[in-house]
Amino acid sequence: MFSAGAESLLHQAREIQDEELKKFCSRISKLLQAEDLGPDTLDSLQRLFLIISATKYNRRLEKTCVDLLQATLGLATCPEQLQVLCAAILREMSPSDSLSLVWDHTQNSRQLNLVASVLLAQGDRNEEVSAVGQGVLRALESRQPEGPSLRYLLPIMAKVVVLSPGTLQEDQATLLSKRLVDWLRYASLQQGLPHSSSFFSTPRARQPGPITEMDGAVATDFFTVLSTGHRFTEDQWLNVQAFSMLRAWLLHSGPEGLGTLDTDDRSEQEGSTLSVISATSSSAGRLLPPRERLREVAFEYCQRLIEQSNRRALRKGDSDLQKACLVEAVLVLDVLCRQDPSFLYRSLSCLKALHGRVRGDPASVRVLLPLARFFLSHGEAAAVDSEAVYQHLFTRIPLEQFHSPMLAFEFVQFCRDNLHLFGGHLGTLRLSFPNLFKFLAWNSPPLTSEFVALLPALVDAGTALEMLHALLDLPCLTAVLDLQLRSSPAPSERPLWDTSLRAPSCLEAFRDPKFQGLFQYLLRPKASGATERLVPLYQLLQPMAGCARVAQCAEAVPTLLQAFFSAVTQVADGALINQLALLLLGRSDSLYPAPGYAARVHSVLSSQFLALCTLKPSLVVELARDLLEFLGSVNGLHSRASLVTSVVWAVGEYLSVAYDRRCTVEQINKFFEALEALLFEVTQCRPSAALPRCPPKVVTALMTTLTKLASRSQDLIPRASLLLSKMRTLTQSPATGSMHGEHGEEGAEAICTRATELLTLLKMPSVAQFVLTPSTEVCSPRYHRDVNTALPLALRTVSRLVEREAGLLLG
């Protein structure tokens, strides 16, 4: 989240209109044409970058301004900071037809880097990616000691490899592999010289010192990204950049087909490889072909990084770097073992030791994810108790580290990216959804889309009901996690919770043994197969409903519910569909009281109830008793109007022998009486009664359903006609407008119109049954497409009759 000052600047940038932007561009054009590009130019370019980057849509800049930005980027004498800003602005504009940058017109390697970044942002519309890649390769082939530095070009080459792997030819790929070997393995072990030296400094003082390790010891092995010094030489910088692009290059240049082997095939191949690998000397290693030699050097480099990570870093920043390099080293080893199984047996001992070392260190928890992927990827050949690895991964980490946003994102991505490898461990993942939901509850804005993609893999018929309860209780879980952090005995230096919100009563309840069972149920690590009614917690935690994090989580729940129902309907049988429908009805009045939460959830529940009925129309008959009980109360009708409307519509649509032969006249009569009583209650105008304001759509749905039921049991037609007549008369009462709240006269008019239409239909019972309860054949698409078939003719006939009857009634 941004600070208040940053939010204010962003808001101002977004509010700038096109006319103001045009004037500002004219001012910048004048500044860029001046001989002296001073502080005013720098300040204006910074403002322009903020303006065009603050909105999600592209801002249109004047062509003169764009041309001058490109010209400034190509000036050899232009200050570097201005060139960086020009490139950033042009990247924000991309892709754009107004850009005309050309790679060949620049010589300085810094400028090449900036120009290439703009060209790559353009996409490959005019084969810019290929042109950039070939330009970098030409610089690589003609590299001279006194030539332009490749330090600024190698990151561009890494990007080209990812965007357009087919850019490089075989001889060019071989050349790059050779260069990577040299940079990774043979960088200098002496620090770089100072950029400038004093006239009075002695030659001894100017001697570069040796490279050191993280703990301060002098390095005795080859240079890596974890080697330290005050200044670095060119080849040392290239060493760091070569490692940063190593994994992408190995994936690009690896043997065809090995990267896509199935798990079983790969395990068989790995298992057939000899576990005893003869030691190879460095001189023998140089005889290998370039690609194999690069893999060998990459393996040695990763082994050295793992060894260096054992050293105690003197600075916190270095400690963080160690962990980041460990993650990348394990990922590179995974690629190497997939491409050449002989590396697997050389890697296992150090990776097992690494796993044993980091699993108990909370600060190194991110390293566990690539290690788990390694063991998952290589199956039985790794000879590791994978189940124990995953139990620790899915049980302890979310429980203890749910508040880490970076870990949360990486953990969910790990689950998504490796679903195809889980195999027999997929059950462990599915049962761990309560723990995974802790990440979601605490980090809902950035993780919502990730969980929408992950939910189909988590949904299982055995845990679907418990998962739906957990999704509906997600804002309550957020509040409980907040309390858990607040009550932690060793809080962090920077509180992870909202310090402006104080809820001492909630903290007392969290520590109260009487409520521990409910809190522990919400914080359970695995699916328990049981559900708890959390209404007491809703009341206790109501002061937390105003917390910003709880509000964000509540906004994400409707999207997650849509994804859940899309997935569960693929695996649900008839019994589960009935249970889901009952759960929707039961939870409609049992939700955490976050502002606006119930209304958003009811909207989703109503649409999903209809979807379940469409999937299984017999649901209405099978759950008749429960539906009657649901419709028998008007408590909270206004807040549940959408769900009540859906239930009423489903009764009118599916309570018919056309959908279920078990439907009886007695059931139709019971529903008619219940809906009649409900309509009577919600439309009474008694000043002393505290009845809820009823939305007109509920009234019209009730009238329509009552008419449908009457058309199926014609003994009910007189009662339905009388009721509709009363409703038409009632809409003319002065009190009707207030009864329907903000809908007022428009709602009364809609009710009157619907009552008149339905009354006209009931005067012709056979036509009413044909229109309100059409047969399956009539509902087929043929009756809607062909104007000569029965349905269009019947509708035209009924329309004429309705119009004539309405005219007679009005007359």
Side-chain angles (χ1 to χ4, degrees):
M1 298 179 68
F2 297 107
S3 64
E7 287 284 0
S8 176
L9 286 174
L10 287 172
H11 180 72
Q12 293 175 26
R14 291 172 184 142
E15 292 297 317
I16 290 180
Q17 302 300 314
D18 291 341
E19 191 62 32
E20 297 177 79
L21 180 60
K22 183 177 180 180
K23 293 179 181 177
F24 189 55
C25 286
S26 299
R27 180 171 177 270
I28 290 178
S29 298
K30 293 178 181 178
L31 290 172
L32 291 176
Q33 290 173 345
E35 293 184 3
D36 181 20
L37 301 177
D40 288 345
T41 308
L42 179 64
D43 180 68
S44 296
L45 289 177
Q46 288 174 335
R47 291 175 181 270
L48 180 60
F49 175 70
L50 176 63
I51 291 170
I52 65 171
S53 62
T55 58
K56 62 183 178 182
Y57 57 89
N58 288 336
R59 292 276 202 172
R60 184 177 180 84
L61 302 184
E62 292 294 312
K63 187 178 185 306
T64 304
C65 182
V66 174
D67 292 340
L68 287 170
L69 288 171
Q70 295 179 93
T72 305
L73 181 58
L75 285 177
T77 58
C78 179
E80 181 184 354
Q81 194 172 5
L82 288 178
Q83 289 182 327
V84 170
L85 278 171
C86 289
I89 293 169
L90 294 173
R91 282 197 303 271
E92 283 293 330
M93 291 177 52
S94 301
S96 172
D97 294 329
S98 59
L99 297 184
S100 57
L101 285 174
V102 182
W103 171 268
D104 294 333
H105 290 174
T106 53
Q107 297 296 328
N108 184 282
S109 59
R110 290 178 185 268
Q111 289 175 286
L112 288 173
N113 177 284
L114 294 173
V115 170
S117 69
V118 178
L119 291 175
L120 294 181
Q122 281 282 88
D124 206 17
R125 299 192 301 174
N126 298 313
E127 298 186 352
E128 285 94 345
V129 176
S130 177
V132 170
Q134 292 300 320
V136 174
L137 285 168
R138 283 195 296 272
L140 183 65
E141 292 169 353
S142 62
R143 169 77 170 120
Q144 300 296 328
E146 65 279 1
S149 170
L150 289 177
R151 170 177 160 190
Y152 303 100
L153 301 183
L154 203 56
I156 296 296
M157 191 70 247
K159 189 71 172 177
V160 169
V161 168
V162 174
L163 292 177
S164 181
T167 298
L168 278 68
Q169 300 174 2
E170 183 66 25
D171 57 336
Q172 294 172 328
T174 299
L175 172 64
L176 186 53
S177 293
K178 289 180 179 179
R179 289 297 176 89
L180 288 174
V181 167
D182 292 339
W183 292 328
L184 288 170
R185 190 66 178 81
Y186 303 111
S188 171
L189 282 175
Q190 294 294 317
Q191 297 186 40
L193 289 169
H195 294 295
S196 60
S197 58
S198 169
F199 176 80
F200 297 101
S201 59
T202 63
R204 183 180 181 86
R206 293 198 302 269
Q207 291 295 324
I211 289 294
T212 58
E213 302 288 1
M214 288 288 183
D215 58 0
V218 175
T220 57
D221 209 336
F222 61 89
F223 181 91
T224 72
V225 66
L226 288 180
S227 301
T228 61
H230 295 291
R231 300 175 187 86
F232 295 108
T233 61
E234 180 74 11
D235 62 345
Q236 289 167 353
W237 282 114
L238 288 170
N239 177 285
V240 173
Q241 292 177 345
F243 177 66
S244 71
M245 69 172 290
L246 178 60
R247 180 158 55 100
W249 179 249
L250 288 173
L251 289 170
H252 163 72
S253 62
E256 293 182 2
L258 284 183
T260 57
L261 283 176
D262 291 337
T263 307
D264 295 339
D265 297 338
R266 186 165 58 247
S267 298
E268 182 179 351
Q269 182 182 358
E270 292 165 346
S272 63
T273 306
L274 291 176
S275 59
V276 179
I277 307 297
S278 58
T280 305
S281 65
S282 60
S283 60
R286 298 187 187 209
L287 301 178
L288 293 171
R291 291 183 181 178
E292 284 75 8
R293 173 62 180 154
L294 177 60
R295 292 192 197 103
E296 187 67 33
V297 169
F299 177 78
E300 294 173 0
Y301 197 101
C302 293
Q303 293 279 70
R304 169 123 167 85
L305 287 178
I306 293 173
E307 180 272 324
Q308 285 180 298
S309 69
N310 279 319
R311 297 177 178 270
R312 183 183 179 86
L314 300 179
R315 294 176 297 183
K316 184 182 183 303
D318 289 342
S319 177
D320 295 338
L321 179 62
Q322 281 180 314
K323 298 177 182 64
C325 289
L326 269 180
V327 170
E328 186 65 18
V330 175
L331 291 173
V332 170
L333 287 174
D334 183 37
V335 173
L336 291 173
C337 293
R338 281 189 283 135
Q339 293 183 348
D340 185 352
S342 65
F343 286 111
L344 176 61
Y345 299 96
R346 300 164 65 183
S347 306
L348 280 177
S349 59
C350 71
L351 291 183
K352 288 181 181 178
L354 177 62
H355 181 263
R357 175 163 60 90
V358 301
R359 67 174 296 172
D361 181 12
S364 302
V365 68
R366 290 174 62 190
V367 186
L368 289 174
L369 296 178
L371 282 171
R373 192 200 188 288
F374 183 92
F375 297 139
L376 186 65
S377 179
H378 299 286
E380 296 178 359
V384 174
D385 186 1
S386 300
E387 187 64 28
V389 173
Y390 298 123
Q391 287 292 345
H392 175 264
L393 193 69
F394 292 122
T395 303
R396 289 192 56 188
I397 293 179
L399 192 64
E400 299 170 355
Q401 303 290 330
F402 64 87
H403 49 76
S404 170
M406 182 65 72
L407 176 64
F409 182 78
E410 291 180 354
F411 198 103
V412 177
Q413 270 209 326
F414 164 81
C415 296
R416 281 189 59 191
D417 295 343
N418 298 290
L419 286 173
H420 63 288
L421 296 176
F422 272 101
H425 301 289
L426 191 57
T428 303
L429 175 66
R430 286 173 171 167
L431 288 174
S432 301
F433 78 82
N435 249 5
L436 294 178
F437 280 7
K438 293 181 177 65
F439 284 133
L440 177 59
W442 195 257
N443 307 278
S444 53
L447 289 187
T448 300
S449 60
E450 298 294 320
F451 266 91
V452 166
L454 182 62
L455 273 175
L458 295 179
V459 172
D460 179 70
T463 57
L465 296 175
E466 187 176 353
M467 184 179 292
L468 180 53
H469 277 291
L471 286 172
L472 293 171
D473 291 328
L474 209 59
C476 189
L477 175 61
T478 306
V480 173
L481 292 174
D482 188 293
L483 292 176
Q484 185 181 31
L485 286 177
R486 291 172 189 263
S487 61
S488 175
S492 58
E493 296 178 2
R494 182 182 179 183
L496 301 170
W497 54 87
D498 184 1
T499 54
S500 64
L501 183 68
R502 303 186 182 277
S505 61
C506 296
L507 278 173
E508 292 175 7
F510 185 73
R511 300 186 181 104
D512 192 336
K514 183 171 60 174
F515 301 109
Q516 280 303 301
L518 294 176
F519 283 114
Q520 290 306 314
Y521 171 75
L522 260 183
L523 296 172
R524 67 195 184 282
K526 287 185 177 181
S528 61
T531 57
E532 291 279 352
R533 297 288 288 179
L534 300 177
V535 175
L537 281 192
Y538 301 157
Q539 299 168 354
L540 289 170
L541 301 180
Q542 188 169 5
M544 301 288 294
C547 176
R549 197 177 294 273
V550 173
Q552 287 180 332
C553 180
E555 291 178 358
V557 170
T559 303
L560 295 164
L561 288 174
Q562 296 278 13
F564 168 81
F565 279 104
S566 297
V568 78
T569 51
Q570 304 299 318
V571 299
D573 57 8
L576 181 56
I577 290 175
N578 285 2
Q579 291 174 312
L580 289 169
L582 288 176
L583 195 156
L584 297 187
L585 301 179
R587 288 300 305 267
S588 63
D589 62 347
S590 178
L591 296 170
Y592 184 68
Y597 179 56
R600 292 191 294 267
V601 170
H602 287 157
S603 177
V604 177
L605 297 186
S606 61
S607 63
Q608 294 306 323
F609 181 82
L610 293 179
L612 293 176
C613 291
T614 304
L615 197 62
K616 186 188 177 186
S618 61
L619 177 151
V620 174
V621 173
E622 294 176 3
L623 302 181
R625 180 180 300 177
D626 300 281
L627 294 177
L628 285 169
E629 183 179 346
F630 176 79
L631 295 170
S633 172
V634 294
N635 293 331
L637 177 61
H638 186 271
S639 62
R640 295 189 292 166
S642 57
L643 184 58
V644 171
T645 304
S646 295
V647 173
V648 170
W649 185 91
V651 170
E653 184 71 14
Y654 299 113
L655 190 65
S656 168
V657 291
Y659 290 100
D660 194 329
R661 293 292 180 183
R662 296 170 294 177
C663 178
T664 64
V665 174
E666 183 183 359
Q667 282 182 324
I668 293 176
N669 291 339
K670 284 184 178 180
F671 271 101
F672 186 93
E673 291 172 359
L675 295 176
E676 183 183 35
L678 179 59
L679 180 60
F680 178 78
E681 287 293 326
V682 300
T683 56
Q684 289 309 292
C685 302
R686 291 173 296 177
S688 60
L691 288 174
R693 293 175 180 266
C694 181
K697 66 178 182 179
V698 177
V699 177
T700 54
L702 283 166
M703 292 191 305
T704 305
T705 296
L706 285 167
T707 306
K708 287 181 178 181
L709 296 180
S711 69
R712 295 167 198 164
S713 178
Q714 297 195 4
D715 292 341
L716 299 173
I717 288 180
R719 290 172 62 181
S721 298
L722 179 61
L723 188 64
L724 292 171
S725 299
K726 287 182 177 180
M727 288 304 306
R728 191 171 58 181
T729 304
L730 183 63
T731 55
Q732 300 170 3
S733 170
T736 304
S738 62
M739 181 182 69
H740 299 297
E742 67 271 14
H743 303 282
E745 294 182 0
E746 292 182 3
E749 183 179 352
I751 294 171
C752 181
T753 303
R754 178 64 59 88
T756 302
E757 294 170 349
L758 296 174
L759 269 172
T760 306
L761 275 176
L762 286 180
K763 290 180 179 295
M764 299 168 284
S766 58
V767 174
Q769 187 171 12
F770 178 78
V771 173
L772 298 174
T773 312
S775 63
T776 307
E777 293 79 9
V778 172
C779 292
S780 65
R782 181 173 64 86
Y783 280 85
H784 297 271
R785 297 195 185 108
D786 188 354
V787 295
N788 296 317
T789 52
L791 187 59
L793 291 173
L795 289 176
R796 285 197 296 271
T797 302
V798 170
S799 297
R800 286 196 294 270
L801 289 171
V802 168
E803 290 171 2
R804 188 177 67 182
E805 291 290 336
L808 291 173
L809 288 171
L810 291 173

